[in-house]
Amino acid sequence: MTSVAVKARVTGRVQGVAFRTWARAEAVRHGLSGWIRNEPDGSVRALLMGPAASVADMVRRMGRGPGAASVKDVLTERTDPEPGVSGFRIVG
């Protein structure tokens, strides 16, 4: 099973709609590690690390988001895994 690390930037109405809490629960359910945070420009940024198929599925799920969200776009880029990151947490 190939492990990957992806940084994602989610735009649209994604702040104030429990997006980070929803994403953390989804990531934990899929066995991913990383973090998620709100950005000053109204977007949400996340680091997703884990099996390639699980990361890809999480990116797809983030494209829909929780019920109150209105996702415009999910931009992703492959990155190096961040050492010392375990579990999935909300960082801001």
Side-chain angles (χ1 to χ4, degrees):
M1 197 172 334
T2 304
S3 246
V4 298
V6 170
K7 283 192 176 170
R9 180 174 175 260
V10 186
T11 59
R13 188 168 52 116
V14 293
Q15 289 189 17
V17 294
F19 194 96
R20 294 174 300 157
T21 301
W22 168 85
R24 182 181 42 142
E26 289 292 308
V28 168
R29 194 162 65 85
H30 286 85
L32 301 179
S33 57
W35 48 259
I36 190 163
R37 68 176 182 232
N38 282 341
E39 293 291 311
D41 66 0
S43 67
V44 171
R45 183 166 299 272
L47 171 68
L48 309 168
M49 298 187 302
S54 296
V55 169
D57 186 49
M58 183 65 189
V59 169
R60 280 191 298 279
R61 289 175 180 279
M62 290 174 83
R64 291 187 301 274
S70 178
V71 176
K72 180 180 177 186
D73 202 5
V74 180
L75 304 172
T76 61
E77 63 179 308
R78 292 287 287 264
T79 189
D80 294 325
E82 290 186 10
V85 174
S86 63
F88 196 90
R89 57 196 173 96
I90 298 171
V91 296

